[in-house]
Amino acid sequence: MILMKIGVKKMEQKINNIMNLMDSIEYGFKDENGKNIINTNPQKWDDEFYKFYYLQTPDELLKSKCGVCWDQVELERKLFQDNNIKFKTYFIYMVDHDMLPSHTFLTYENNNKYYWFEHSWSAYKGVHEYKSELELLLDVKKNFMKEHNYVSENCFLYIYEYQKPKKHITCDEFYQYIETQKLMKINKPFYFYHLVNKNVDMSNGLLSLQYMYDNKMYDLFDKNVLKYKDRILNDWDIKKYKGKSNLTREEYMDALNIFRGKYGSNYIYFFRYPPYKNLGNKINELSKYKDIYRININDEEVQKSITDIFYGYDMSDSDQQLLNRKYYENISEEEYFSKYDDTLSMNFSTLNHIGISFQNGYCPSQFLEQINWE
């Protein structure tokens, strides 16, 4: 016990010494005149950071006494290495259209506890203790989301563990480098479901209509697009197609994109919960020639392949209120299927569902897991 106490005390002293040295560094980046741009020209900081920034070495940072979190973590890396302390470095960022807020931070482990060492993020400056690495990363994620609550609630967030990058890389090069590092899987699963004919070749995954069209898979396209014909001609109130009796392939694509936006023909649709046999005779019969696949849209690798998610409209709302992620997070299975009507010709039409647009127009098979009917 005495040795352990001495070890703890020595570790605390090492950490305090590192933090004291880091306190000599201010947040920002200096221009050619030695002025901190974040203070002297905040507009330039906001608009041109990606142009003037380059990653400083630890020695350069100790000389300039001014750096962003990316620079400061590299100095922390050297200090922790010099003190023989086991550590990891992480990069967290959010993707919301043209905004990419990010942060780098360092963690270390001691006596089966995990610590977030933070200097550059003033609101959380200090050392934070956790029981596990996952608990630590989830706390950083929560605080980062709270700090950047101005971004879309549907944006994706990623955490990478990364090794020492090359010196003097630019902002864009830093992001490119991070993409080569270890993507952390910390999200709880959030499953959605899709029905597929048993005889369909799933080696390439699920294909969108756009993919079928682009790759001249016309037989498959013509078979899958027919379900939209009546809706385009009668239900969706698309004036240019009123009074028509038939549609060309190009008109189908155009109509889907008019009604559902620029990703309309790319969407692949998923139910929130898997249909089950006792819902009705149609479902029971359907189970004989359909398989059920699920996708976890909270999986970080899956999210990297998604270009857009459309959460659909509230079918029970006369104003066609748009739904969001929270609707699907909160609705119970019982409530979800309460609108199901087995007597309708389009028996799934009353079930709210999401449309996912994937990169390259298809959902890769590795993202899908077949489950059994219940």
Side-chain angles (χ1 to χ4, degrees):
M1 290 296 293
I2 294 175
L3 288 174
M4 183 178 293
K5 287 181 180 178
I6 293 174
V8 170
K9 203 171 220 182
K10 186 176 289 186
M11 175 64 80
E12 288 179 353
Q13 186 59 55
K14 285 184 175 183
I15 298 300
N16 287 336
N17 289 341
I18 292 173
M19 186 64 79
N20 288 337
L21 192 152
M22 293 304 301
D23 282 343
S24 67
I25 310 297
E26 68 173 318
Y27 188 88
F29 195 82
K30 289 186 176 179
D31 61 19
E32 60 276 8
N33 298 314
K35 304 294 185 181
N36 189 349
I37 300 171
I38 198 171
N39 297 325
T40 60
N41 196 340
Q43 192 65 49
K44 179 178 180 179
W45 180 270
D46 291 339
D47 296 341
E48 300 180 27
F49 178 81
Y50 70 98
K51 291 182 179 179
F52 61 73
Y53 176 80
Y54 63 87
L55 182 64
Q56 300 175 78
T57 66
D59 287 342
E60 288 170 340
L61 182 59
L62 286 172
K63 183 178 179 181
S64 70
K65 300 291 185 183
C66 183
V68 297
C69 59
W70 300 1
D71 306 299
Q72 295 192 32
V73 164
E74 291 315 301
L75 175 55
E76 292 167 7
R77 183 193 302 280
K78 182 180 187 305
L79 297 172
F80 273 75
Q81 283 177 336
D82 291 347
N83 282 277
N84 296 313
I85 303 173
K86 183 180 180 181
F87 70 94
K88 293 181 179 179
T89 54
Y90 293 96
F91 187 96
I92 182 171
Y93 73 104
M94 301 171 79
V95 180
D96 185 32
H97 302 295
D98 59 346
M99 290 189 294
L100 290 169
S102 71
H103 182 59
T104 54
F105 59 99
L106 180 143
T107 71
Y108 67 94
E109 184 182 349
N110 187 47
N111 287 333
N112 297 316
K113 296 288 181 66
Y114 295 80
Y115 298 87
W116 168 23
F117 181 95
E118 183 57 58
H119 179 263
S120 65
W121 190 358
S122 59
Y124 296 95
K125 179 180 178 294
V127 179
H128 312 269
E129 181 182 288
Y130 303 88
K131 295 178 181 178
S132 69
E133 181 181 51
L134 178 60
E135 181 187 20
L136 185 159
L137 294 177
L138 288 173
D139 190 49
V140 175
K141 174 183 176 180
K142 179 192 71 176
N143 294 324
F144 190 76
M145 293 177 70
K146 183 169 65 175
E147 177 87 1
H148 300 91
N149 59 9
Y150 54 85
V151 302
S152 166
E153 64 180 12
N154 295 324
C155 70
F156 294 141
L157 179 148
Y158 305 108
I159 299 178
Y160 284 86
E161 179 189 341
Y162 72 102
Q163 304 304 311
K164 182 180 179 180
K166 293 180 180 179
K167 67 178 181 179
H168 297 169
I169 58 176
T170 66
C171 182
D172 289 342
E173 288 170 339
F174 201 112
Y175 274 101
Q176 291 168 12
Y177 170 70
I178 290 299
E179 291 284 333
T180 69
Q181 300 298 288
K182 181 182 178 182
L183 179 61
M184 305 302 294
K185 301 290 189 78
I186 64 172
N187 295 331
K188 292 181 179 179
F190 190 26
Y191 292 113
F192 284 80
Y193 301 82
H194 188 92
L195 298 182
V196 181
N197 287 334
K198 289 182 179 292
N199 61 351
V200 168
D201 179 9
M202 288 292 291
S203 59
N204 291 325
L206 300 174
L207 311 180
S208 69
L209 286 170
Q210 186 69 54
Y211 182 91
M212 297 174 196
Y213 179 82
D214 291 342
N215 289 275
K216 297 180 171 55
M217 304 166 72
Y218 296 136
D219 288 344
L220 194 59
F221 178 94
D222 293 342
K223 179 180 178 182
N224 281 275
V225 82
L226 278 178
K227 59 188 174 185
Y228 296 108
K229 182 176 180 179
D230 188 58
R231 280 178 272 184
I232 292 171
L233 297 179
N234 301 306
D235 298 338
W236 288 352
D237 195 30
I238 303 176
K239 293 179 180 179
K240 66 191 292 187
Y241 296 120
K242 285 289 184 183
K244 283 189 170 250
S245 57
N246 289 297
L247 296 168
T248 66
R249 294 183 184 114
E250 290 73 21
E251 286 173 333
Y252 272 115
M253 306 288 278
D254 179 55
L256 287 168
N257 291 328
I258 289 174
F259 187 73
R260 289 175 171 157
K262 66 178 181 178
Y263 298 106
S265 57
N266 262 304
Y267 286 134
I268 298 170
Y269 295 92
F270 295 84
F271 299 115
R272 173 62 183 95
Y273 293 102
Y276 51 90
K277 295 177 183 178
N278 287 342
L279 271 176
N281 292 331
K282 284 187 178 180
I283 298 294
N284 192 25
E285 187 64 25
L286 200 67
S287 68
K288 298 175 183 178
Y289 59 91
K290 292 274 190 181
D291 289 326
I292 301 178
Y293 287 84
R294 73 179 183 183
I295 186 170
N296 173 17
I297 68 167
N298 264 6
D299 181 278
E300 287 86 347
E301 290 287 357
V302 172
Q303 290 178 348
K304 299 288 279 186
S305 75
I306 292 175
T307 54
D308 189 68
I309 297 180
F310 175 62
Y311 290 96
Y313 296 101
D314 187 350
M315 303 302 182
S316 64
D317 192 307
S318 60
D319 294 328
Q320 287 289 283
Q321 177 182 344
L322 278 169
L323 300 176
N324 56 25
R325 180 187 172 96
K326 289 182 179 178
Y327 166 83
Y328 293 97
E329 289 176 334
N330 295 327
I331 193 168
S332 67
E333 184 175 7
E334 181 181 9
E335 183 182 357
Y336 184 73
F337 285 115
S338 64
K339 300 175 184 179
Y340 176 76
D341 188 345
D342 200 56
T343 65
L344 295 176
S345 57
M346 295 182 64
N347 54 319
F348 287 133
S349 62
T350 57
L351 297 181
N352 292 321
H353 49 274
I354 68 171
I356 304 179
S357 171
F358 296 89
Q359 293 175 10
N360 304 316
Y362 70 98
C363 174
S365 57
Q366 65 264 32
F367 296 158
L368 300 165
E369 177 187 6
Q370 186 177 349
I371 65 168
N372 296 324
W373 280 91
E374 294 185 359

